[in-house]
Amino acid sequence: MNFLGVDIGGMSIKVGIIREDGSILRRDAVPTEVGKGDQLDILRRCIELCKRLVQEEQLSLDDITAVGVGSPGTPDVAHGILIYAANLNFRNCPICEVLSTALKLPVFLANDANVAALAESRIGAGRGCKSSVTITIGTGLGGGVVLNDRVYAGFNGAGCEIGHMVIHTGGRPCTCGRKGCLEAYVAAPALISRTVEAAEAHPDSMLAALIRREGKVTGKTLFDGAKTGCPTAVNLLNDYLDDFAEGLGNVINLYLPEKIILGGGISKQGESFRAELEKRVLDKSFNIGSLPTTQVALAELGNEAGIVGAAFYAKDCLEDHIGSFHEGKNPCAI
Amino acid sequence: MNFLGVDIGGMSIKVGIIREDGSILRRDAVPTEVGKGDQLDILRRCIELCKRLVQEEQLSLDDITAVGVGSPGTPDVAHGILIYAANLNFRNCPICEVLSTALKLPVFLANDANVAALAESRIGAGRGCKSSVTITIGTGLGGGVVLNDRVYAGFNGAGCEIGHMVIHTGGRPCTCGRKGCLEAYVAAPALISRTVEAAEAHPDSMLAALIRREGKVTGKTLFDGAKTGCPTAVNLLNDYLDDFAEGLGNVINLYLPEKIILGGGISKQGESFRAELEKRVLDKSFNIGSLPTTQVALAELGNEAGIVGAAFYAKDCLEDHIGSFHEGKNPCAI
């Protein structure tokens, strides 16, 4: 069986023809061009890319079983509608209806973080596990939860918001409106703000000197500063890792996944970062005696996680009879 | 189909013959007598009660499909062993092996909070919902998670530890070794400690006078004090409800269950307590636009939740082929 995996991002639309084992037959991408036209124009670019890839592979749409779409924002998976995605400027966009009309195929919509987590779980760092939580640390802290080998996205399909778990009640303000969310302590903007604050409080530190020399602060600055042995940087990194581990300890105590998989920019700090977090996390999770414990792993898949995961998601929906396309009862099925 | 539902508690062993719809054909209880003999003696009392009930109902063990056992502590569900239960003084107790040998029936073991949550989900406050989180507030804060109409107990079956989710990093010490867990702010001992602390800090308050008059502090004292309009009590109750709502907001952002069901002593504060928590929780959970939101409900089942839930659990395990009893591969199947 072949699937089309579609990954709609703020910068580019990626599409792949994916075999059921997750291998990629063919892939390509086009710019999303959010500002150019309306949301239907973006979907038209999706459809053109899907058709072109199938043609280039010398297949027809009859050779495709279904289409999976991963998108940022909040999907209404039952109705195939993207309710809202700020960076796409989408509002109540009937993605499944538009794509399934044009392609004459069943189309399934899910959040991009969830489908990427599904790919990571099946053929990445979580292969062989039935449950994993993939946490992507970037401008936000996104989470994708896979339980019993399926995406778990809550009763309404909106997806789990691991970044918006409060660990410091009344603490740093978060974009979601709460105070003290994990995201407000460990996502890249928080890491950068905390680095700047520490350097301002300790202008004579090596960290401050490093920032003056480089002329900017990134998510890497604190790690580089700590490597020089700068006490200001070492202390802040210690606090940062403690906050992160506090959040991961909560994730373990609530989901008890076989693996927590770390992705995104900050996870590029690599094995020492992973090992340090795992050590702190084990101290914070509930003692379960002789039972196996959750492992912390680094994500293994790159940019293709979105298209592969979207294809896996479409396959799962067909297998589990989620979305009654064949009975014409689902509004996604035109 | 009939099932035996067994609920082993610190004070009593409860057993019921349960129909597959959850109705109780017959039930009885005997004292657990933890101090009398060893853990096998407790299991003998379980077995005797099971046999007696079946006989009294004029059935034979052949009329029973399977046995479900709910127990406190940490179970190794795959091997049918109770690893540890402090208040039963059980350590590595092979419950399923012992019971299935004696009763010649498949026996399935789970944590008591999880099976009680399953009963609440099927025939209690969660009926009609596919996902719910039941939170029982007593000497601890226990949670049972039902996702996709099945108990979710983590990859190793040890169960989710919702009470041990840190909401105040570095805050009040918890019995689990972490600091700032939800349990350390809202379970009955925490509520009582916080009430005593507030009264000691404000010896002239009506709350302090109430405590002197009653000669004791219970989980009810703070609620009674707040009803008199005492500012000390009102402020603390406000903080208490905020902490509780912070934890429930996290539960919603992580699990997105259709319902959160509150049980245990403090939930007896009733509808005003529920409504006040729901209002605060809605402010704290992630905005999901036009999608339906999680509701907060009060538990509806009483003492029988344990035996009914244990029976449902056994039925689910048979249906899902969890534990390969019929193939003799599971060490629980003697």
Side-chain angles (χ1 to χ4, degrees), chain B residues 32-303:
Chain B
T32 312
E33 299 183 291
V34 173
K36 203 170 156 187
D38 62 10
Q39 58 192 24
L40 290 179
D41 289 308
I42 293 177
L43 294 187
R44 265 179 224 119
R45 290 190 273 280
C46 272
I47 293 164
E48 279 164 24
L49 180 54
C50 287
K51 288 184 173 173
R52 175 162 67 78
L53 274 187
V54 169
Q55 203 171 24
E56 284 175 1
E57 190 62 22
Q58 297 183 311
L59 296 172
S60 83
L61 286 168
D62 290 343
D63 299 312
I64 304 295
T65 305
V67 183
V69 180
S71 149
T74 304
D76 177 347
V77 292
H79 300 95
I81 292 168
L82 186 60
I83 297 177
Y84 178 63
N87 57 352
L88 293 178
N89 204 17
F90 274 28
R91 270 180 195 277
N92 296 315
C93 180
I95 291 184
C96 290
E97 184 183 329
V98 173
L99 264 64
S100 65
T101 303
L103 300 171
K104 309 264 185 301
L105 287 169
V107 180
F108 301 92
L109 173 67
N111 177 274
D112 55 357
N114 286 335
V115 299
L118 183 62
E120 200 63 62
S121 149
R122 292 264 166 88
I123 61 167
R127 61 189 173 280
C129 299
K130 293 282 180 201
S131 65
S132 58
V133 175
T134 297
I135 293 178
T136 306
I137 316 121
T139 50
L141 188 135
V145 178
V146 175
L147 304 179
N148 298 324
D149 204 30
R150 289 293 186 265
V151 164
Y152 180 74
F155 87 101
N156 57 21
C160 306
E161 292 290 346
I162 291 172
H164 301 290
M165 163 177 59
V166 166
I167 58 164
H168 283 282
T169 294
R172 298 177 77 95
C174 184
T175 53
C176 75
R178 290 176 86 183
K179 284 182 176 177
C181 288
L182 182 60
E183 178 169 305
Y185 284 82
V186 305
L191 174 58
I192 290 170
S193 297
R194 294 174 79 176
T195 306
V196 169
E197 289 162 19
E200 283 174 357
H202 301 277
D204 298 333
S205 65
M206 285 186 278
L207 180 66
L210 175 68
I211 292 171
R212 282 192 295 272
R213 203 163 56 241
E214 297 196 342
K216 62 174 181 178
V217 181
T218 70
K220 208 168 152 282
T221 307
L222 178 63
F223 292 93
D224 291 343
K227 276 176 204 150
T228 68
C230 164
T232 300
V234 167
N235 287 342
L236 176 58
L237 184 57
N238 189 50
D239 289 350
Y240 176 83
L241 291 170
D242 269 348
D243 286 327
F244 209 145
E246 209 71 73
L248 298 188
N250 284 355
V251 166
I252 292 175
N253 283 356
L254 268 75
Y255 291 116
L256 258 183
E258 197 163 349
K259 281 201 181 165
I260 289 180
I261 302 169
L262 303 173
I266 294 168
S267 69
K268 294 200 171 58
Q269 292 298 323
E271 171 55 24
S272 62
F273 175 70
R274 186 207 66 76
E276 184 60 43
L277 267 180
E278 187 172 66
K279 185 168 77 69
R280 292 173 192 236
V281 165
L282 284 180
D283 289 342
K284 291 182 194 296
S285 49
F286 202 76
N287 187 343
I288 42 175
S290 55
L291 291 174
T293 51
T294 302
Q295 296 182 315
V296 178
L298 297 172
E300 293 180 5
L301 303 182
N303 274 332

Side-chain angles (χ1 to χ4, degrees), chain A residues 229-302:
Chain A
C230 165
T232 299
V234 168
N235 286 342
L236 176 58
L237 183 57
N238 189 50
D239 288 352
Y240 176 82
L241 290 170
D242 269 347
D243 286 329
F244 210 146
E246 208 72 71
L248 297 188
N250 284 354
V251 166
I252 292 176
N253 284 355
L254 268 74
Y255 290 117
L256 257 185
E258 196 162 348
K259 280 199 181 167
I260 290 179
I261 301 170
L262 302 174
I266 294 168
S267 69
K268 292 198 174 58
Q269 292 299 323
E271 171 56 23
S272 61
F273 175 70
R274 184 209 67 76
E276 185 59 44
L277 266 181
E278 187 174 66
K279 184 168 77 69
R280 291 172 194 237
V281 165
L282 284 180
D283 289 342
K284 291 182 193 298
S285 50
F286 201 78
N287 186 345
I288 43 174
S290 56
L291 291 175
T293 52
T294 302
Q295 296 181 316
V296 178
L298 296 171
E300 294 180 4
L301 304 181

Side-chain angles (χ1 to χ4, degrees), chain B residues 310-329:
Chain B
F312 280 141
Y313 181 75
K315 179 169 173 276
D316 289 355
C317 287
L318 279 180
E319 271 181 30
D320 299 345
H321 305 290
I322 293 173
S324 310
F325 285 93
H326 303 295
E327 299 161 41
K329 281 181 192 158

